[in-house]
Amino acid sequence: MLDIRAAIQAVQAHEPSALYVTTCGYITRDVYNIDDRENNFYLVGSMGMAGPIGLGVALADVGRRVVVLDGDGSFAMNLGCLPMIAEHRPDLVHVVLDNGAHESTGGQRTAALGDPAALALAAGYAAAYTVDSLEELAALDLTHTPALVHIRCLPRTHKAGDRVALTPQELVSRFRAGLGAPAHA
């Protein structure tokens, strides 16, 4: 099992030019503190919406891969997005960072997910994997999308980093600017 920050860094190393949509809570804070950049779209207070928003970004035909960084709790909240993502066949990698807890709200145990990779395949994803090590993660062939990567993570032993210092409006403007789109549509 992996440290959640090491898993995030490994995903970013595997997909350096991708656009990132991060779920709310500590995962967003981790990404913000590890490597804040304009191609990161942070969800602040939108639990369960990383998959659908990632799909929307991918369907906007931005010409870049989209990586969704989801937590196991957020993923479980919106399993209905799996067949929708599968139907549209976007160039999207859906990463589920699974530590078995709602850490951002006090560490409550999450509902049992079963097998997220099997759920994704049953919904129609082109590929799905479960990994427990950095070596397994680095060896993945993410050619066929949409793909789901279920990463088994250790419980958090570090404090959460700083909160995202940008307003939602600033995040949207910065993300759009990074795509070369007008700041306001």
Side-chain angles (χ1 to χ4, degrees):
M1 295 199 338
L2 296 171
D3 172 84
I4 207 159
R5 292 172 302 176
I8 290 167
Q9 290 170 318
V11 169
Q12 289 176 321
H14 200 280
E15 298 290 340
S17 62
L19 301 170
Y20 284 82
V21 175
T22 68
T23 189
C24 62
Y26 285 178
I27 290 171
T28 280
R29 290 167 72 171
D30 285 335
V31 174
Y32 178 71
N33 286 276
I34 291 169
D35 189 19
D36 178 40
R37 39 185 157 155
E38 65 185 8
N39 66 330
N40 294 344
F41 190 75
Y42 306 116
L43 299 181
V44 181
S46 299
M47 188 171 178
M49 296 307 297
I53 290 172
L55 173 61
V57 171
L59 292 179
D61 195 23
V62 294
R64 289 169 67 187
R65 173 166 285 182
V66 174
V67 174
V68 170
L69 293 176
D70 222 342
D72 52 315
S74 294
F75 177 76
M77 254 185 112
N78 200 349
L79 293 174
C81 75
L82 296 177
M84 184 171 54
I85 291 170
E87 179 181 335
H88 290 286
R89 313 297 293 163
D91 188 9
L92 183 143
V93 177
H94 195 165
V95 177
V96 179
L97 299 161
D98 182 0
N99 60 8
H102 291 286
E103 288 185 320
S104 302
T105 61
Q108 304 88 347
R109 184 183 62 79
T110 52
L113 290 177
D115 184 347
L119 289 170
L121 291 172
Y125 275 52
Y129 310 92
T130 296
V131 298
D132 294 297
S133 71
L134 292 174
E135 295 76 23
E136 289 174 323
L137 184 56
L140 291 180
D141 175 10
L142 298 175
T143 307
H144 304 290
T145 56
L148 183 127
V149 180
H150 173 222
I151 304 174
R152 292 188 180 123
C153 296
L154 297 164
R156 185 177 300 270
T157 58
H158 61 279
K159 288 187 172 190
D162 295 333
R163 293 180 186 275
V164 175
L166 302 164
T167 67
Q169 295 80 6
E170 290 169 334
L171 286 170
V172 169
S173 292
R174 184 177 86 158
F175 191 73
R176 289 178 61 82
L179 295 174
H184 300 298

